[in-house]
Amino acid sequence: QVHLVESGGRLVQPGESLRLSCAGSGRNFGSYAMGWFRQAPGKEREFVGVISWSSGSIWYTDSVKGRFTISRDNTKNTVYLQMNSLKPEDTAVYYCAAVQVLRTPAQPNEYDYWGQGTQVTVSS
């Protein structure tokens, strides 16, 4: 069992940066692949990126490549989403999710545990 709590979301202006955190509790956090997803009003939950348990595999959806970076610190049971050059279209509730696999899934239904989400609003 893994319990996830996201934090760091807030209102920012276009072009600014923001770092989200996802703190996990439970045994063997370091053995979980961790995904970031987002959901804007009226839209389906969208894959943002994922990091493998070892940080050896990381990948992103095309719309955030070069702007977002995922990292993790297994000693702190925390995963981060660094978001730079934010755009209004990045506005959404951001969720982290966990699944105990060696690969790096991109579909929401492949994940077993979810946080409650944190709101990111990009607006001038």
Side-chain angles (χ1 to χ4, degrees), residues 21-71:
S21 299
C22 171
S25 62
R27 298 183 62 183
N28 302 318
F29 177 84
S31 66
Y32 286 76
M34 297 298 299
W36 283 98
F37 293 80
R38 64 187 181 185
Q39 189 165 19
K43 295 187 177 181
E44 293 188 353
R45 193 162 296 189
E46 174 191 26
F47 171 76
V48 173
V50 58
I51 185 168
S52 65
W53 68 274
S54 66
S55 302
S57 178
I58 306 171
W59 60 287
Y60 307 90
T61 192
D62 286 347
S63 62
V64 308
K65 282 181 184 176
R67 300 190 298 123
F68 289 13
T69 303
I70 299 174
S71 60

Side-chain angles (χ1 to χ4, degrees), residues 71-123:
S71 60
R72 67 189 296 163
D73 185 344
N74 288 339
T75 65
K76 297 181 179 179
N77 282 9
T78 303
V79 177
Y80 305 97
L81 178 64
Q82 177 67 44
M83 305 185 292
N84 299 329
S85 303
L86 281 161
K87 305 175 181 180
E89 51 263 43
D90 295 317
T91 295
V93 177
Y94 282 71
Y95 300 88
C96 64
V99 61
Q100 198 170 23
V101 294
L102 298 179
R103 54 191 174 83
T104 47
Q107 299 299 319
N109 61 9
E110 298 182 274
Y111 286 81
D112 294 324
Y113 304 102
W114 290 83
Q116 83 291 344
T118 186
Q119 176 70 49
V120 173
T121 303
V122 185
S123 175

Side-chain angles (χ1 to χ4, degrees), residues 6-26:
E6 302 95 336
S7 62
R10 61 180 178 90
L11 172 65
V12 295
Q13 295 191 348
E16 291 187 341
S17 297
L18 197 60
R19 188 177 81 161
L20 305 184
S21 299
C22 171
S25 62

